[in-house]
Amino acid sequence: MFVPEMMVPALKELANAFEKYKDEEEFKKELNYLLKEFAGRPTPLYFTKNISNELGFRIYLKREDLLHSGAHKINNTLGQGLLAKRMNKKEIIAETGAGQHGVATAITGALLGMPVKVFMGEKDVERQKLNVYRMKLFGAEVVPVTSGSKTLKDAVNEALRYYLTNVETCYYLIGSVVGPHPYPKIVQHFQEIIGKETREQILKKEGKSPTAVVACVGGGSNSIGIFSAFIEDEVKLIGVEAGGNEEKHGKTLGEGSVGIFQGSKSYVLQTKDGQILEAHSISAGLDYPGVGPVHSYLKDSKRAAYGSITDSEALEALAYLSRKEGILPALESAHAVAYVMKNKEKFKKSDIVIICLSGRGDKDVAQLMGGGFLE
Amino acid sequence: MPFVVLGDPNYATSIRIIKKLIDNGASALELGFAFSDPIADGPVIQKANNRALANGITTKKDFEILEEIRRESKVPISIMLSYNLAYKYGLDAFYKKCSALKITAILFPDVPLEESKEAVKHAKKYSIHQVFLVSPTTTPKRMQQLNKVAEGYVYLVSLLGTTGARESINTKLPELIKLVKKEMTLPVYVGFGISTPAQAKNVIALGADGAISGSAFCKIIEENILSKENMVTKIANFCKEMSEAVKGA
Ligand SMILES: Cc1ncc(COP(=O)(O)O)c(C=O)c1O
């Protein structure tokens, strides 16, 4: 944990609480109940007939987009929300990029009767207006962040600063496998449900492991969530980062280097000197210069491979999946879909490819309309 | 002890500012290396970091400013920076360079005891004091552990929060100073939220060995950005006031 001294005791308290409750029957029962009855788990593993036919191999979508709130983020917020409650914290704070984690946290706060403050870069407040409004509907306070690049990394900075100040009463509910220890471990734990379900489902449907599992990587939570169940299997694990536009991108693993950023040591987009660079992606959820340390490990050990998809390729994939399958993916998830489309030559007819559809695209509609996407 | 960010507002003015601090009673200096994402800093010092970066400061230029200062002064200098900057420079090279510049102490605000092994090892190798933060959440037991590895002085964070001016000092500070004095053997310097001569004086009267004031100096730079002459003069006057307040305590 690379954090100021003020936070250390609180992070230790959190690590202890997590170890104590994660395997406790009562805690697991409560979480499983909420995941099932409130969030809508298990999510389907859907076989896409139309695009499978067209692309020439068997493609499944893990439908995290069907979860209450519209994305996988709620798996984690329910888990950590219960933890916050057990720890008797008075207030929950969160950072958000696309707004999906903010919405999931706001929902969780409403459900558990805890006040929620969400830090969000001013630029993201602008491009994710709908989610800002949704957070407010659920009773959360949205705090626009004006420092730095005014996106996700700055929202994390501001949340850390607030946490530093209110460390005794406040629970910082981080939205991805990033930040100081023990957060990467906690978030991964609560997202592993995606992989557990997927593995069971594919074995039942196909009687064998998939050829590849593909997921988009922002901080890396939906991807590690689905990868984790397949790490011991002979399955290609492919993470897809934001290729952005020609100039700027979010290819942290692809083009970053190891550094210490926001509490952990991992790949980060930075200058030679170690100044953190601004990322860019059309999808706010992938617009982040850092990545979870677990992905640095999977990259360095070559257990997972990481590619990237540009803004325009992601948009194309969003339109393609919508028209061919009647499923509107989040711009983030569209990166994973685009990767499979772009690399179709690498797969043969009998191959099974699972895409983690981490979220739905409803949140992106206003942005698409503003950009005149259909015209 | 005044704190400013190296290269704030720009290279040349920063050197002038630091020299003024030395000429106006600062018996030691704390100097920061600008970083894009300083998590322990409030808005004022964040802006100081940004000004320096916007005007082209780099780690190499930070060292050049320090060289310039060393040509004229032997004043004890502590440096404070986010760990990533030293990590990217290469820890060994970084400490070696600091040692050549006769830097007294190094503090990484984002390196707590748990992550400090490498830093401490290099600090020992190059005879530089590795300084640690102690805060209102630090337990007595932890203070004892810190006392075994920390050198130079203890940087006592007066309150829970980021750097920045506060109306008044934390009411629990007297107890906290007493506790640190009991559990640790090093001199205690109090920082975060000390921005007036009265507050600095008060902190010394409470038993601290020194007071560190950063945001107040950075604010003067911010507010006088259009006139470097005013900026330098006001910094000099404020430094003098602060130094006298501390001496008189
Ligand atoms: C739908 C969706 N997918 C993916 C992400 C990226 O996060 P992670 O890499 O942690 O899954 C986000 C983040 O906001 C998201 O909203």
Side-chain angles (χ1 to χ4, degrees):
Chain A
M1 47 174 100
F2 292 93
V3 294
E5 172 68 18
M6 298 75 112
M7 272 187 214
V8 172
L11 292 174
K12 288 191 168 175
E13 181 198 347
L14 174 62
N16 289 338
F18 174 65
E19 290 306 325
K20 177 172 166 200
Y21 292 116
K22 77 178 169 57
D23 299 317
E24 190 199 78
E25 284 312 315
E26 199 51 39
F27 183 87
K28 281 199 298 192
K29 217 171 104 190
E30 197 177 344
L31 178 57
N32 287 337
Y33 175 81
L34 290 178
L35 287 172
K36 180 165 173 248
E37 304 288 334
F38 184 71
R41 301 212 74 91
T43 58
L45 182 67
Y46 177 70
F47 177 69
T48 57
K49 199 156 132 241
N50 300 333
I51 66 167
S52 291
N53 259 339
E54 229 177 81
L55 298 178
F57 45 94
R58 301 179 69 73
I59 302 168
Y60 284 85
L61 303 177
K62 179 58 174 167
R63 299 290 310 274
E64 295 295 295
D65 62 311
L66 291 178
L67 283 171
H68 178 39
S69 81
H72 68 294
K73 299 283 178 184
I74 198 162
N75 301 325
N76 169 48
T77 59
L78 288 175
Q80 287 201 62
L82 290 182
L83 205 53
K85 198 95 195 158
R86 293 280 197 287
M87 292 173 73
N88 284 319
K89 296 292 178 181
K90 301 290 172 253
E91 174 190 35
I92 292 177
I93 61 162
E95 82 295 338
T96 198
Q100 285 308 116
H101 174 58
V103 166
T105 309
I107 286 174
T108 303
L111 172 75
L112 300 177
M114 291 177 83
V116 170
K117 227 185 221 98
V118 180
F119 294 86
M120 187 171 192
E122 209 173 45
K123 191 169 147 196
D124 294 334
V125 169
E126 193 49 43
R127 60 179 162 172
Q128 302 285 336
K129 280 198 191 103
L130 186 72
N131 271 346
V132 172
Y133 202 78
R134 285 170 79 203
M135 286 184 259
K136 290 182 181 164
L137 281 174
F138 293 116
E141 181 190 343
V142 179
V143 185
V145 173
T146 54
S147 57
S149 58
K150 305 179 175 59
T151 60
L152 183 53
K153 99 175 158 74
D154 310 284
V156 174
N157 285 339
E158 225 41 65
L160 283 169
R161 290 177 187 130
Y162 184 90
Y163 184 49
L164 201 69
T165 312
N166 300 279
V167 73
E168 290 165 319
T169 50
C170 147
Y171 185 97
Y172 181 16
L173 205 165
I174 285 192
S176 192
V177 287
V178 299
H181 175 79
Y183 281 111
K185 200 171 149 186
I186 293 177
V187 179
Q188 176 174 340
H189 175 79
F190 291 129
Q191 291 294 0
E192 282 179 354
I193 182 100
I194 307 175
K196 274 187 202 127
E197 281 177 15
T198 305
R199 190 166 182 278
E200 264 176 42
Q201 288 165 322
I202 198 68
L203 289 178
K204 199 155 165 202
K205 284 176 200 274
E206 293 278 353
K208 59 177 177 183
S209 291
T211 317
V213 174
V214 184
C216 68
V217 180
S221 69
N222 86 88
S223 47
I224 195 61
I226 195 164
F227 289 175
S228 58
F230 297 98
I231 290 204
E232 308 291 322
D233 300 348
E234 224 173 281
V235 174
K236 285 198 190 90
L237 305 175
I238 302 165
V240 185
E241 297 190 299
N245 55 34
E246 256 98 82
E247 282 165 50
K248 281 179 152 190
H249 56 81
K251 293 186 267 187
T252 307
L253 291 156
E255 297 192 7
S257 58
V258 175
I260 290 105
F261 175 55
Q262 292 181 338
S264 54
K265 186 173 180 180
S266 188
Y267 279 82
V268 57
L269 292 174
Q270 57 182 335
T271 65
K272 263 205 328 273
D273 256 13
Q275 304 293 346
I276 309 306
L277 292 167
E278 290 179 16
H280 164 81
S281 172
I282 191 168
S283 62
L286 305 184
D287 196 341
Y288 183 62
V291 69
V294 66
H295 289 289
S296 294
Y297 172 76
L298 291 176
K299 174 193 152 89
D300 289 345
S301 63
K302 298 199 164 62
R303 178 59 193 95
Y306 296 87
S308 69
I309 281 297
T310 63
D311 289 349
S312 51
E313 288 167 339
L315 281 170
E316 231 174 89
L318 175 142
Y320 182 71
L321 195 68
S322 301
R323 288 197 189 143
K324 295 287 172 182
E325 295 290 347
I327 296 172
L328 170 60
L331 274 170
E332 290 78 11
S333 324
H335 284 71
V337 177
Y339 182 91
V340 173
M341 289 164 61
K342 192 176 174 182
N343 292 281
K344 63 178 183 190
E345 307 302 339
K346 291 185 185 153
F347 299 106
K348 56 181 191 303
K349 193 155 182 288
S350 59
D351 282 351
I352 301 164
V353 175
I354 297 175
I355 299 171
C356 187
L357 210 70
S358 54
R360 68 179 90 131
D362 303 36
K363 70 178 174 65
D364 300 313
V365 172
Q367 187 187 352
L368 296 173
M369 284 168 72
F373 184 56
L374 282 182
E375 275 100 73
Chain B
M1 177 158 69
F3 167 90
V4 289
V5 175
L6 290 162
D8 176 27
N10 59 40
Y11 187 91
T13 314
S14 179
I15 292 173
R16 283 183 65 196
I17 287 173
I18 295 166
K19 287 183 177 171
K20 281 285 179 206
L21 294 173
I22 299 168
D23 291 344
N24 285 278
S27 52
L29 298 175
E30 178 148 65
L31 301 173
F33 283 36
F35 182 53
S36 52
D37 296 78
I39 52 175
D41 283 316
V44 172
I45 296 185
Q46 281 175 46
K47 278 187 213 149
N49 279 277
N50 292 342
R51 279 192 299 271
L53 289 170
N55 286 319
I57 200 70
T58 57
T59 304
K60 188 165 164 265
K61 286 186 185 165
D62 286 324
F63 281 131
E64 284 169 17
I65 295 178
L66 291 170
E67 263 161 43
E68 190 77 32
I69 300 303
R70 271 292 172 252
R71 262 194 272 280
E72 291 182 17
S73 167
K74 291 197 169 92
V75 66
I77 295 176
S78 291
I79 59 170
M80 182 159 175
L81 68 160
S82 293
Y83 193 43
N84 197 45
L85 299 178
Y87 179 80
K88 284 296 278 185
Y89 196 87
L91 272 194
D92 197 78
F94 190 88
Y95 278 87
K96 190 171 178 183
K97 183 83 191 171
C98 288
S99 158
L101 288 165
K102 304 259 184 311
I103 298 300
T104 321
I106 299 181
L107 168 60
F108 300 117
D110 55 348
V111 175
L113 182 62
E114 286 73 5
E115 304 286 356
S116 66
K117 213 170 131 194
E118 281 298 303
V120 169
K121 191 177 90 187
H122 287 94
K124 286 217 160 72
K125 177 171 169 191
Y126 290 104
S127 303
I128 292 174
H129 294 150
Q130 192 68 39
V131 174
F132 287 84
L133 297 177
V134 165
S135 93
T137 58
T138 311
T139 59
K141 188 168 157 227
R142 211 173 146 74
M143 288 179 191
Q144 290 160 17
Q145 289 167 340
L146 280 164
N147 198 50
K148 287 188 196 133
V149 290
E151 289 201 57
Y153 61 96
V154 174
Y155 190 124
L156 179 60
V157 177
S158 78
L159 43 74
L160 287 179
T162 53
T163 57
R166 306 290 198 286
E167 288 278 312
S168 55
I169 58 173
N170 182 1
T171 50
K172 291 188 189 137
L173 189 60
E175 268 173 73
L176 189 59
I177 292 175
K178 237 183 254 160
L179 182 65
V180 180
K181 281 281 178 190
K182 179 168 158 253
E183 305 294 350
M184 304 184 74
T185 47
L186 297 167
V188 178
Y189 282 60
V190 177
F192 284 48
I194 310 298
S195 52
T196 66
Q199 288 171 340
K201 190 171 174 169
N202 197 350
V203 162
I204 304 295
L206 290 173
D209 301 280
I212 304 166
S213 181
S215 292
F217 286 94
C218 296
K219 190 81 187 174
I220 295 176
I221 299 176
E222 181 183 331
E223 284 173 348
N224 295 280
I225 200 73
L226 296 176
S227 165
K228 306 284 185 295
E229 290 315 312
N230 282 348
M231 181 189 295
V232 173
T233 311
K234 284 185 180 166
I235 289 267
N237 291 341
F238 185 66
C239 185
K240 202 173 198 165
E241 265 184 76
M242 285 297 247
S243 309
E244 277 163 12
V246 172
K247 271 189 211 114

